[in-house]
Amino acid sequence: MAGSEVADADIRLEGVTKRFGDTLAVDSLDLAIERGAFYALLGPSGCGKTTTLRMVGGFEEPSEGRVFLGGDDVTERPPYKRDVNTVFQSYALFPHLSVERNVAFGLERSKVDREEVRRRGAEALELVQLGGLGKRKPAQLSGGQQQRVALARALVNRPRALLLDEPLGALDLRLRKQLQIELKRIQRDVGITFVHVTHDQEEAMSMADTIAVMNEGHIEQAGSAAELYERPRTEFVANFLGVSNLIDARLRATDGALATVETHDGATLRVPADRIGPHGSDAIRVGVRPEKITLHPANGAAPSDGNRLRGTVVVAAFLGVSIQYVIRAPGGEELTVIAQNLDGSEPESLGPGREVDLTWNPHHTFVVGKEPPT
Amino acid sequence: MAGSEVADADIRLEGVTKRFGDTLAVDSLDLAIERGAFYALLGPSGCGKTTTLRMVGGFEEPSEGRVFLGGDDVTERPPYKRDVNTVFQSYALFPHLSVERNVAFGLERSKVDREEVRRRGAEALELVQLGGLGKRKPAQLSGGQQQRVALARALVNRPRALLLDEPLGALDLRLRKQLQIELKRIQRDVGITFVHVTHDQEEAMSMADTIAVMNEGHIEQAGSAAELYERPRTEFVANFLGVSNLIDARLRATDGALATVETHDGATLRVPADRIGPHGSDAIRVGVRPEKITLHPANGAAPSDGNRLRGTVVVAAFLGVSIQYVIRAPGGEELTVIAQNLDGSEPESLGPGREVDLTWNPHHTFVVGKEPPT
Amino acid sequence: MQGRSDRIRGWGLGIWSAIALLYLFIPIFIVVLFSFNDNKGRFNFTWQGFTLDHWAQPFADPDLATALKNSLLIAAITTVIATALGTFMALALVRYGFRGRGAVDMLVFLPLATPEVVLGAALLALFLTAAVSTGFVTIVIAHVMFTVSYVVVTVKARLEGMDRHIEEAAMDLGATEWATFRKVTLPMIAPGVGAAALLASAISIDDYVITSFNAGQTTTFPLFIFGATRQGVPPEVNVLASALLFAVLILMGLNVLLQRRLARRSLARELVDEPQAGALVPARG
Amino acid sequence: MLRLSLKRRRQLLPWLFVGPGLMWLIVFFAIPLLNQANVSLQSGDAETGYAFNWAFGTYTSALSDYQTQFVRSLGYAATATLLDLVIAFPLAYFAAFKAGRFKNLILLLIVLPFFTSYVLRTVAWQLILSDGGWVTNRFRDVGLIGADGRLLASRTAVIAGITYNFLPFMALPLFVSLEKIDRRLIEAATDLYASRAQAFRRVTLPLALPGIFAGSLLTFIPACGDFINAALLGTSRQYMIGNVIQSKFLTILDYPTAAALSFILMTLILVGVLVYARLLGTQQLTEAAF
Amino acid sequence: GGVKGEAQKSKTTKVAVVSHPKTTIGDWTFANWPLYIDKQVIKDFNKKFGGHCKYVEEINDNNEFFGKVRQQLQAKQPIGRDIVTLTDYMASRWVRLNYCQPLDKKNIPNISNLEDNLRTINYDPKREFTLPWQSGAIGLGYNPKKTGREIKSVKDLFDPKFKGRVTMLSEPYDSANTVLLGDGVNASNATIDQILGAIAKIDAANKKGQFRRFTGNDYTTDLAKGNTWIALAYSGDLVQLQSDNPELRFAYPEEGAMLFTDNMMLPTKAEHPYAAETMMNYVYEPEVAATIAAYVNYISPVKGIQDILANRKGGAAIAKNPLIFPSAAIRKQLHPYPALSPKDEQTMQQAMAKVTGA
Ligand SMILES: Nc1ncnc2c1ncn2[C@@H]1O[C@H](COP(=O)(O)OP(=O)(O)OP(=O)(O)O)[C@@H](O)[C@H]1O
Ligand SMILES: Nc1ncnc2c1ncn2[C@@H]1O[C@H](COP(=O)(O)OP(=O)(O)OP(=O)(O)O)[C@@H](O)[C@H]1O
Ligand SMILES: [Mg+2]
Ligand SMILES: [Mg+2]
């Protein structure tokens, strides 16, 4: 499914399956990652992200399928014979070694001469802005600093690719944001392929060139952040990546670029025709992102050339940077609308209990297949 | 400082100080919380939130000052003689007792009859939507479920107030969001006073009626989320609650409702005059929230009746629901601007490297005193 | 919140603890005291007066010296073998889910649940059947047999607290299995291994029961003492026992000081090893 | 080894690690026990040797002849275990919760006696409890023993000796399990209206059960087989099964009976442990113990 | 090889034609009881004859030691000891089972110094296999301050006044036979039934709490500390005890006392017979024997040492000590152990074990 069309793939998985006893952790997965890409594996807990990464790193052997690195089949090779390095979620720093010696560990193993080890180690620490801390033990560092040591320890080996398993998962929000930016910078500077596992969609979106959304051992959709966000192809992707307002509908007519669908409660909406494509005509759901919707007091002046729905405000919550509304549609769905906090408080006319009109540009409507409820 | 004007305060702290050896954990703090309020104590790590809460719960004795519950001085009473209950950050569920027995613990101690214990226990579990899990041991529950058991265990006693110490801190983002909503719902349903300790500003804003921002053992500012967000009175509050763009400035003139200030690089901005109030005329900083700023291609059509600054785009990042820009101002500050993702991608004219104009309504400008850098 | 009754309870607890510790130490006082007894004949159980003579010549009795030497040597060899075997077993038991692990676990546990008379007698019966003459070697065999379980238990506890990703990280950085063990696993479990070694040597040095069955012509320190109880324990025994005690005390004191220093230097509390309390389970007779 | 696949290597490696230690335990622990089983069914005499002939009679006669000693052993061991629990629990509790920075010192003090010899400590008790000694005289003064009663060479002395010698085996596991208890649980209990005593009974005590169990095992099992205390502090009227096994084996050279006694003892202990585990509601036997 | 072959043959023909030709001494082993020699003797021996004598104090109990080496003896393997020192009844068993080999008397000319009353013994009438090491009497050790009177008779052990203040030896050869002597039976010729009777008597008294403990030679502590007042005791121990506790006394019971002898023997297949015999000869030199006697305080089997000690510095007291040098009258009252059949011996041991509870 996922980008297996990439020609000069640096990391390639072919039909890889992994079973733990009865658990199917990864289900005949295909995957190709370009050289130098920042690739994110995004998915809910237990979907097989870590397992996939561990098979690339050599810590688990696939039950079926093959793993290629730069064209070589490495399926049977132990980790120390693969030129990729992993940054573990728990950092896995060697507690008995100083930061310096941690970073030097990989180079020492590959018999690089002493002087060069020192030089490259210092460089790597510089890169992650830990220049002065080489002599400390890991326990003497804060979480964020430890994370950067782990990164330096992997980077210093100049591996073909860096595998990062929720490297920021254990950090608090503030530090996480800061390190996201730093990680992105480092990846640009060194140009190494990064494979980044996370279950935080915002993190994936703000960092990765390509995001692969995983679910139950397979990849649902892969592409750029904007692609996935604006045109999710499955309900899972639509819901996992940001908030979606989804409404059951069926196809009525297609004229030109836009198709017309009728929602289950009788409203008519228009969607770009090419997005109907793979789905049948019956069991579809149309969706729109909350920030694409504009609210207007009911029967007020609203633009006529777009999709429009009527609803009642249930909640209006102040979130600082934005105000979030929950609107009950006649069909019973609760739709979320997000409006930028331009004025410091929500207008009275959009307060709870008010009738409102929701409008949006048909081009922001997307279509997903209807999935049986889980 | 904080709302000590509240008359029928349910929980009241008067001049409470707590020292641990040399550490001054809480510094002559006054605090009054109304009956039935959802009150958040927000502050960075180590600012004394937990200590304050523990003094209310009776786990620490204040070094100075008094604690009142519903008018009674309880400063000297042990925890089991105070009708408040605590939900601990780590939940502190009794691992050897079933969920049911955990919830029944408090009632059994206060000699409620067997039948009622059963009934109220079941009710409380129903309330937190754990109806079927009464027989399980805590270890057999997920983090979110454990959190809800802790809540039920406290609520079932119908205390005067519930003290929650970062009850969601250990949970992942998704679960946290879900439980925030649930907690808010439960508080509305039962009408008990909630005192909620957190260092997550978004959490505080989305849940609390009143937020008290703590710093170094005292309360910096208390008020509603909108009040604190739109009109922070100190630099600490401005930065801790959301993102602020702050620029050094000095007062030039006041005419009518608006005052004029000159930024350190010579630009002129206007601010509501009443916000200058407590601060001197010299050492002030003016601020504006990132979502209040509108970006225009340089020298393009921009409204003339507002504050305006010129700058260069450094970063434009797609965050799904919004696009975040970092703009370098002539004075060297990096200003953050957030624009709702209305169109699915940032306009070419606002890409990195472009010159842009930033404009905002003077009424969205706030003023804080200049603090020495820490 | 400390009420008055709480304070009284606290005192009661403290006093009870002090009495319990006193109970533990009464015989030790006696042992140390009688190392200074100026006894006249061969017996040393009537206080006759103070002397430092025995401390001046602790090895006056060559057999006692031999016995102590044997004990120390046996303890050293036992410790090395048992620690090595036990550490690897613990490693396999914690790190690998292999078939038969439960059975191995049980086999490790059983010696701990078997009284020593039974162990000693069974082993001797085997040696008798196989016509192996007992002596130094058989003592070592026996000691290793029943200390290895303690080592496994101690090291296992340490390993279970260790993040296994750290070993994976080493391999990921190019270390082979062996290099990983040498450079990462071993240094990290070193405190546990050290505690296990200490435990093994303490048990070995102090063992009487199993040794008495399998000693042959070899005399160890406890055997010497037990033999001497029939004839009168010479004060040199008290001297050596006291000396051993003081040596341990000094070593532990140094260790505590060292840890304090480390703790003070480090910013983080993690560096101070949690007291290996489980590992200090003492030797049994 | 290098050419083995990853999977094969992962299957082989653990056995390579376990192998030597396992062999040691099999050869020097399991096989001797099996051999003992064989010996216990032999008959013959000391001078000419014994031969295997399914002599089950040894078991019945061993049981009937030494019933007293079995009952005594279990009784003494159980009493000592109980006493140790009573003595050690407050001590461990104090060390875990109240001792503050003296915690490690107390631990050290608990362990320290074990660096003098077990036999020597017991000999020291002989001196302490001797008839004309201070302790005995005080007991007489208080009237705990009669005017010509004695402490040494009595049941009291033997049980006291066992209690003494195994006290740290009780104290350390108790300490470990108490220290593991999250204090917030106790706070939570008081928060939920439990007084200190109730919090102790409802929360602390149940959570210390694994420690109580482990400590009891570590005390009870060796105490059951002990013979040094009875030999040095008791008389033949206090001899325990350990003394019998020892003398049968070493002095009387009646190997089959010694072996049979060993097996009966092991069975009794195993049954006792299982019943105890049941009573305490401990599920994982080995795990709880260590 | 030849040596052993001859030893074997001598056994079968019952004619003591033994020859252990002179060899170098080499490294050889002497197994003995603890504190049973002045170690200087070993050093002197090594200096004088060369080689190295490994002297091990490993025999704490006759049976225990027998159990240790039985398997090898039965399999006709060397047991790694060249001299073992065992008490009469055990020595008798070894002789009976061919576990020891005849001594080459040519190598032990000093055997002529052997006290006359020990020249023959029921299990080895011609002393072909055994040579006495030390003898001792089993008598009454007591503390007159506690008993308040002199103790003379075996019957005093059973005096209810001393209830709980008496220790009894657990070895039936010692205790049962002494009791028989007390009842006027010549214990050296006692039948098993008589012995069982004595054991029954001990049992009855024990049930009433008469005896504080059954002991090996560990009765000393209790006696010295005053925990017990009377002990059935070994003569040599009392001499030792008296140096710390001069008030203690030892009495040969007026009804007679049991005499035990520990005997040196050469185990079959012993690898250094010549060295062993050289040592046996050496310790039978009166000067050497005197040194040993002065240290161990038992009754020496070697003639003529009383005078040597009397003239030695510090030896006068020893020479006068009736525990070490009993008078001729007392010597007449000392009785060797009875010779029991293996079956009877086992019956006796088991009966006693029941009483002592082990
Ligand atoms: N060693 C193992 N033994 C058995 N099952 C395993 C093992 N490792 C993983 N699994 C199972 O495989 C599935 C995928 O696990 P994996 O760790 O890859 O998930 P993940 O996507 O990384 O989740 P998370 O975000 O929680 O880390 C899960 O159901 C997990 O329970
Ligand atoms: N028992 C104690 N002994 C000594 N110092 C303490 C103790 N408890 C708290 N402190 C100190 O008091 C200060 C306030 O601690 P407190 O736990 O109240 O912070 P907090 O705001 O809850 O922080 P966090 O968000 O990290 O939980 C800190 O400097 C802390 O180190
Ligand atoms: Mg994972
Ligand atoms: Mg806190």
Side-chain angles (χ1 to χ4, degrees), chain B residues 45-51 89 165-166 197 199:
Chain B
S45 183
C47 72
K49 305 181 297 291
T50 297
T51 307
Q89 167 159 14
D165 190 0
E166 311 216 16
V197 160
H199 59 237

Side-chain angles (χ1 to χ4, degrees), chain C residues 27-187:
Chain C
I28 312 297
F29 291 139
I30 300 285
V31 168
V32 176
L33 182 71
F34 275 82
S35 72
F36 297 107
N37 187 19
D38 191 7
N39 67 324
K40 299 291 185 293
R42 216 176 273 161
F43 299 98
N44 182 30
F45 38 61
T46 329
W47 182 252
Q48 312 265 7
F50 182 87
T51 177
L52 282 172
D53 290 355
H54 311 303
W55 279 87
Q57 290 185 315
F59 298 109
D61 182 344
D63 289 331
L64 175 55
T66 313
L68 188 67
K69 199 187 78 197
N70 282 339
S71 269
L72 292 175
L73 200 60
I74 287 167
I77 298 174
T78 300
T79 303
V80 171
I81 300 179
T83 309
L85 295 184
T87 301
F88 279 104
M89 281 183 99
L91 212 58
L93 286 174
V94 175
R95 280 289 178 268
Y96 301 92
F98 55 96
R99 203 178 287 182
R101 204 180 75 171
V104 175
D105 248 337
M106 202 59 204
L107 196 62
V108 169
F109 169 72
L110 268 180
L112 297 176
T114 309
E116 284 181 71
V117 221
V118 176
L119 289 177
L123 199 53
L124 177 56
L126 181 78
F127 290 142
L128 289 177
T129 312
V132 176
S133 64
T134 50
F136 193 90
V137 176
T138 53
I139 298 178
V140 171
I141 286 176
H143 283 200
V144 171
M145 180 268 289
F146 81 104
T147 49
V148 82
S149 296
Y150 285 94
V151 174
V152 174
V153 168
T154 313
V155 176
K156 241 174 94 177
R158 177 86 193 177
L159 271 170
E160 269 158 2
M162 181 181 152
D163 181 4
R164 65 173 307 178
H165 290 311
I166 292 180
E167 282 157 304
E168 288 183 348
M171 289 222 233
D172 184 60
L173 293 168
T176 57
E177 275 97 352
W178 174 237
T180 303
F181 177 74
R182 221 160 29 94
K183 296 277 178 188
V184 176
T185 316
L186 198 59

Side-chain angles (χ1 to χ4, degrees), chain A residues 137-149:
Chain A
K137 287 282 175 69
Q140 298 169 305
L141 301 178
S142 75
Q145 291 171 327
Q146 291 187 23
Q147 203 281 335
R148 284 181 284 175
V149 176

Side-chain angles (χ1 to χ4, degrees), chain C residues 41-43 63 128 216 230, chain E residues 39 68 71 217 224 240 244:
Chain C
R42 216 176 273 161
F43 299 98
D63 289 331
L128 289 177
R230 312 174 188 213
Chain E
K39 300 266 167 63
K68 227 186 246 181
Q71 222 94 14
N217 41 13
Q240 281 299 328
D244 264 348

Side-chain angles (χ1 to χ4, degrees), chain C residues 34 39-46 48 61-63 124 127-134 212-213 215-219 223-224 227 229-232, chain E residues 29 34-35 39 54-58 60-61 64 67-68 71-72 77 79-81 217-221 224-225 237 240-241 243-245 295-297:
Chain C
F34 275 82
N39 67 324
K40 299 291 185 293
R42 216 176 273 161
F43 299 98
N44 182 30
F45 38 61
T46 329
Q48 312 265 7
D61 182 344
D63 289 331
L124 177 56
F127 290 142
L128 289 177
T129 312
V132 176
S133 64
T134 50
S212 73
F213 280 91
Q217 303 178 34
T218 312
T219 313
L223 290 193
F224 182 92
T229 55
R230 312 174 188 213
Q231 314 282 338
Chain E
T29 305
L35 301 174
K39 300 266 167 63
K54 186 178 167 207
Y55 183 83
V56 282
E57 301 185 325
E58 63 170 325
N60 282 306
D61 183 290
E64 188 180 327
K68 227 186 246 181
Q71 222 94 14
Q72 281 144 286
Q77 288 165 348
I79 60 168
R81 288 106 171 150
N217 41 13
D218 49 334
Y219 56 86
T220 48
T221 319
K225 289 294 295 178
D237 287 347
Q240 281 299 328
L241 274 175
S243 55
D244 264 348
N245 308 75
Y295 180 85
V296 302
N297 305 143

Side-chain angles (χ1 to χ4, degrees), chain D residues 130-163:
Chain D
S130 63
D131 284 14
W134 187 87
V135 177
T136 312
N137 287 336
R138 292 296 82 74
F139 269 70
R140 286 210 187 96
D141 294 348
V142 181
L144 278 172
I145 52 176
D148 57 21
R150 59 178 194 238
L151 281 176
L152 195 60
S154 70
R155 187 167 54 190
T156 317
V158 176
I159 293 178
I162 297 175
T163 305

